[in-house]
Amino acid sequence: MALRAGGPALALLRGRLRLPGSGARGHARLGRSSTAAQPAAEEPGEDAEVSTRKKTFAEVQTERLDEAERTVLIKCPSKLNEKKLLQYLSSHGNVKSHFFFENCGINALIEFSEKSSVASLQDAVGIPSASEHHVVPFKSRLFTFTLKNPVSQRVEETPLHLSPQCHIPVKDLIEKLCLADSISSQMYILLNEYQLTEENIKLRFLACSLVRDFACAYFPDSTVKPFGSSVNTFGKLGSDVDMFLDFHDTGKHATKMKKGPFEMEYQMKRLPSERLATQRILSVIGDCLDNFGPGCVNVQKILHARCPLVKFSHQPTGFQCDLSVSNSIAIRSSELLYIYGCLDSRVRALVFAVRCWARVHGLTNSAPGTWITNFSLTMMVMFFLQRRSPPIIPTLDQLKELADEKDKHIIGGYDCSFVSDLRKIKPTKNTETLDVLLGEFFEYFGNFDFRRNSINLRKGKEVNKPESSPLYIWNPFEQDLNISKNVNQPQLEKFIAMARESAWILQKEDKAQQMINKEPWGLAGLLIPFGKSNSSKMKNRMKGIGSETIKSLLDSLKLNNANSQQKAVGK
C-alpha cells in the first residue's frame, strides 16, 4: 500500500475523506442514524482498508434504492423552525435522517424508517388550491410546507445548516491547496471538495425513485436506477444523473410457471424489435413526465439516437437527467469502476486530480465534441495504474478469473464477467505516493506512442491499434468499440502537450521558494491555465508532435492499403 505523506494538512483529512457513498460535509444533519454506503476511508497502508469494504456494488445499490422509497422532499419557507417541522413529521413515523439544501429556495430531504410513514404523510397532505391554475391530481412525494401565521412564528426561527450541492470554484480550491504540505495532501483535499457527498447521493437516488413512481403506473415490477458517475465512485458534485428503466424483475416471471403439467403466461403486446419497444416505452414515460411530473421541465425525447433516451430537468432536486432503458453493459462498466475506486484510495484521488486538471486546460468539455471525455480520461488513469510495478489495480481479465458462477454475465454476446466480492481481490503491494503517481501519469502519457498503440484495460497492455483513430481505448466489454473514437488529432496533440508541460513543471519546480513567494505549487500550480509566459517552454516540449501527426497519417494510409489488399485477396 502507499506510503503516506505526513503533515498536518493530510492529518486533517483523516476522518473527513469518504469512500464512495459515505458522508462528509453536512453529515451532522444526517444524525446518528445516517447510513453511509461505505465507512470513512483510510489512507493507503491502513490495515482496515480492505476489510472495512465488504459490500458489493449490488448490495449498495439495493440499500440506496430502499432508502429512496422511504424518502420525501419538502419545499420549505425561508424562515423555518427545524425542530417543529421534525416534530410534525415524526407524528407519521420515525425520521431516520434529514438534511436541508438550497435550490430555488430551502428544501428538506426527509428519510423515514418505514415506508408506511410516507403513505401516512401523503394521506394527511392537502391538494393545492385550483383558484389560478388547475392542478394535475398526481400525489407524489414532493410537498410544500408553509406557515399559517408566519409573523407570530418568526421569533422561533432557527438557523439551518445547508448541505452544499456543488463544489467550490477552482480559484477557492487553489487557495486551499496552497495551504497543504504535499501534493498527496493537495490531491486528497481536491477529492474531498469535489466528490459526491452523502446528501447528494441520497438526492440522486430520490430523483430516480420519483421517476419510478410514474413508470410503475404502466410497469409495476420495473425499477429506475442510476448508473455512471452517480454510482461508480467517481461522480463530481454538479454532474448530471444518468438513470435507466430496468425490467430485470419482470423477466423473473418467465420461469415461474414452467413446472407442472401446464403453463400460464401474460398476454403482452408484441413488437418486431427491442429497439422499437424501447422507443415506445420512453415516448410514453417522457410524455408522462412532461404532462404530469411535478418539477419535470424541458423534457426532450431523443428516440432515434444509438441509445434512445429522454432528457429532462428535475427542478425539485436541481439535476439534469438522462433516462434510458435496460442499459446493462453501462451498469457493468459502473460496477467495474466502483470496484477499482474501492480497492485503493489513491485511485479516486488521482482520477479527480487529472480530470480537474483536464477541465481547467480545456481538454474536456461537458458538451459533445472532438475532445477527450471524462470516461475516456478515467480509463486512461486506470490503465496507467495497471501498468505500475507492481500494479495498483488488476486487469479486467484478472478480475474475470476470480469470478464465480453468480458473477457470470453474457450481455448481447459480450462477456461482462468479473468478481463482485471485493474480499477476493488481494490488496496491492505498490507503495508509491500520489506525489509520484501524478508526475508519472503526465510523463507516461506525454511520451505514449499513440501512433501505434492502443489502451486495453482487459489485458492491461499496450497493444497495436486495430484502426487509425488518433486515440484508441478499447471498450472493456464491447471489444469491437473504441470509446474515444470521437477524439481528433489536434485534441490528442493538445493533451500530449499539456501532459508534457505538467510533467516538466512538477520536476523543475522549487516548492520551498514558491511557498515563500506565496505562489501556487504542486497540483495548485497545474490548475492555473498555462499562459503566454510558458509559451516558449511549451514549444520546446512540443517538438516532435507535428512530425508524429505526419507519421500517423502515413501509418493510416499504410493500414488502409493493407486492409484493401487483404480484402482483394479474400475475394
Side-chain angles (χ1 to χ4, degrees):
M1 307 308 288
L3 296 173
R4 293 178 294 172
L10 194 54
L12 182 64
L13 288 174
R14 292 175 196 149
R16 291 183 59 213
L17 183 63
R18 293 174 298 105
L19 279 179
S22 63
R25 286 167 289 177
H27 64 84
R29 286 295 159 185
L30 290 170
R32 64 182 185 278
S33 55
S34 171
T35 52
Q38 299 289 349
E42 299 289 340
E43 295 170 46
E46 297 294 340
D47 295 336
E49 182 171 41
V50 176
S51 63
T52 55
R53 305 174 187 170
K54 305 298 186 185
K55 292 178 182 176
T56 66
F57 178 82
E59 289 169 343
V60 172
Q61 304 317 302
T62 299
E63 286 183 12
R64 291 290 189 187
L65 290 168
D66 183 59
E67 287 177 358
E69 293 273 310
R70 307 191 308 267
T71 300
V72 301
L73 193 63
I74 302 175
K75 189 171 185 62
C76 302
S78 57
K79 307 298 183 179
L80 177 70
N81 186 301
E82 179 181 356
K83 184 177 180 181
K84 287 197 171 183
L85 173 63
L86 293 176
Q87 283 178 343
Y88 167 71
L89 294 171
S90 296
S91 66
H92 297 283
N94 180 57
V95 175
K96 187 174 183 181
S97 69
H98 76 284
F99 66 87
F100 295 91
F101 67 98
E102 189 167 9
N103 174 44
C104 300
I106 305 299
N107 299 269
L109 182 144
I110 307 294
E111 179 195 346
F112 288 101
S113 296
E114 302 292 338
K115 191 175 178 180
S116 58
S117 300
V118 175
S120 173
L121 179 60
Q122 286 176 317
D123 289 341
V125 171
I127 301 294
S129 170
S131 58
E132 296 183 12
H133 302 283
H134 190 73
V135 296
V136 176
F138 175 74
K139 295 183 178 180
S140 71
R141 286 176 283 144
L142 299 170
F143 307 112
T144 300
F145 180 77
T146 56
L147 301 174
K148 292 182 178 179
N149 191 350
V151 175
S152 63
Q153 298 186 44
R154 185 169 298 171
V155 70
E156 301 175 0
E157 295 164 10
T158 55
L160 296 175
H161 172 84
L162 300 178
S163 170
Q165 300 302 311
C166 59
H167 60 76
I168 62 175
V170 173
K171 181 182 178 182
D172 296 341
L173 174 67
I174 289 174
E175 291 180 3
K176 279 195 170 189
L177 299 185
C178 289
L179 299 176
D181 57 1
S182 69
I183 292 177
S184 291
S185 301
Q186 290 180 331
M187 293 171 72
Y188 280 120
I189 290 170
L190 185 150
L191 173 60
N192 197 56
E193 291 293 339
Y194 273 52
Q195 68 184 345
L196 301 183
T197 61
E198 168 74 1
E199 297 88 343
N200 193 265
I201 294 171
K202 284 178 177 287
L203 207 53
R204 289 168 182 267
F205 275 85
L206 175 60
C208 293
S209 183
L210 293 171
V211 174
R212 178 184 183 270
D213 290 345
F214 279 99
C216 283
Y218 293 93
F219 313 107
D221 294 324
S222 66
T223 56
V224 176
K225 302 176 181 178
F227 69 95
S229 62
S230 294
V231 295
N232 66 16
T233 78
F234 297 95
K236 183 183 75 169
L237 284 173
S239 60
D240 296 349
V241 178
D242 293 315
M243 57 180 75
F244 75 103
L245 188 60
D246 187 16
F247 297 105
H248 178 70
D249 291 339
T250 305
K252 294 178 181 178
H253 288 287
T255 59
K256 281 189 175 181
M257 295 300 297
K258 295 300 181 182
K259 296 180 180 180
F262 61 88
E263 290 186 5
M264 185 82 77
E265 62 182 15
Y266 287 101
Q267 294 184 26
M268 291 186 171
K269 185 82 172 182
R270 298 181 185 273
L271 296 172
S273 70
E274 182 181 3
R275 179 175 175 82
L276 181 59
T278 295
Q279 290 171 328
R280 295 268 184 94
I281 291 168
L282 286 176
S283 180
V284 171
I285 300 300
D287 285 340
C288 273
L289 294 174
D290 195 17
N291 293 311
F292 309 132
C296 293
V297 299
N298 302 325
V299 179
Q300 302 175 58
K301 296 188 291 184
I302 308 173
L303 304 180
H304 297 289
R306 178 176 172 269
C307 179
L309 56 91
V310 173
K311 297 178 74 73
F312 63 97
S313 298
H314 193 250
Q315 287 183 329
T317 57
F319 293 126
Q320 299 295 318
C321 304
D322 289 353
L323 173 67
S324 55
V325 172
S326 297
N327 205 336
S328 302
I329 289 183
I331 282 292
R332 295 301 286 166
S333 295
S334 299
E335 182 170 0
L336 177 63
L337 286 177
Y338 171 86
I339 288 172
Y340 284 147
C342 287
L343 288 178
D344 191 296
S345 64
R346 290 172 294 176
V347 177
R348 296 175 62 239
L350 184 59
V351 167
F352 273 77
V354 169
R355 293 203 316 204
C356 186
W357 164 83
R359 176 53 67 92
V360 165
H361 295 290
L363 298 173
T364 57
N365 196 298
S366 56
T370 57
W371 32 74
I372 300 173
T373 65
N374 272 332
F375 183 63
S376 292
L377 202 57
T378 301
M379 289 301 180
M380 292 172 76
V381 175
M382 297 302 145
F383 182 74
F384 165 74
L385 295 174
Q386 289 175 341
R387 300 290 296 159
R388 303 309 293 164
S389 181
I392 293 177
I393 58 174
T395 67
L396 181 52
D397 278 349
Q398 290 169 336
L399 293 177
K400 179 184 173 183
E401 291 174 3
L402 297 173
D404 55 28
E405 196 58 37
K406 66 178 174 55
D407 295 322
K408 305 285 181 170
H409 291 272
I410 306 297
I411 303 172
Y414 298 104
D415 190 349
C416 302
S417 306
F418 56 85
V419 66
S420 59
D421 189 345
L422 292 164
R423 293 169 295 183
K424 293 182 179 180
I425 306 172
K426 292 182 179 180
T428 179
K429 294 181 179 179
N430 184 295
T431 59
E432 293 174 297
T433 64
L434 282 169
D435 301 57
V436 171
L437 291 174
L438 184 64
E440 288 294 319
F441 172 84
F442 294 129
E443 185 76 25
Y444 180 77
F445 281 112
N447 295 285
F448 190 88
D449 189 357
F450 289 103
R451 294 183 300 109
R452 300 179 184 276
N453 294 330
S454 61
I455 295 169
N456 191 319
L457 272 77
R458 182 169 284 276
K459 305 295 182 185
K461 295 179 180 179
E462 301 169 6
V463 296
N464 290 334
K465 281 204 262 188
E467 47 99 343
S468 59
S469 294
L471 175 62
Y472 198 103
I473 304 175
W474 297 72
N475 186 302
F477 303 112
E478 298 173 276
Q479 285 278 282
D480 52 346
L481 296 180
N482 172 15
I483 65 173
S484 56
K485 193 174 181 66
N486 64 299
V487 180
N488 63 15
Q489 190 67 34
Q491 287 297 322
L492 177 60
E493 289 178 7
K494 184 178 179 181
F495 170 80
I496 295 170
M498 292 298 176
R500 290 179 179 178
E501 175 71 4
S502 299
W504 185 88
I505 289 174
L506 290 177
Q507 290 170 6
K508 300 298 182 183
E509 72 175 1
D510 185 344
K511 172 189 167 184
Q513 187 61 45
Q514 286 174 297
M515 292 184 75
I516 292 172
N517 297 338
K518 295 183 179 180
E519 297 175 357
W521 60 275
L523 178 59
L526 299 184
L527 297 184
I528 298 174
F530 302 146
K532 294 182 179 179
S533 60
N534 292 325
S535 59
S536 60
K537 297 176 183 177
M538 284 188 67
K539 285 179 181 177
N540 292 331
R541 290 182 285 282
M542 286 176 67
K543 283 182 178 178
I545 295 181
S547 59
E548 287 173 8
T549 305
I550 297 173
K551 290 178 183 177
S552 178
L553 291 172
L554 291 173
D555 288 345
S556 174
L557 291 172
K558 290 177 183 178
L559 181 63
N560 290 335
N561 187 43
N563 289 339
S564 299
Q565 290 177 352
Q566 288 176 357
K567 289 178 181 178
V569 171
K571 286 182 179 178

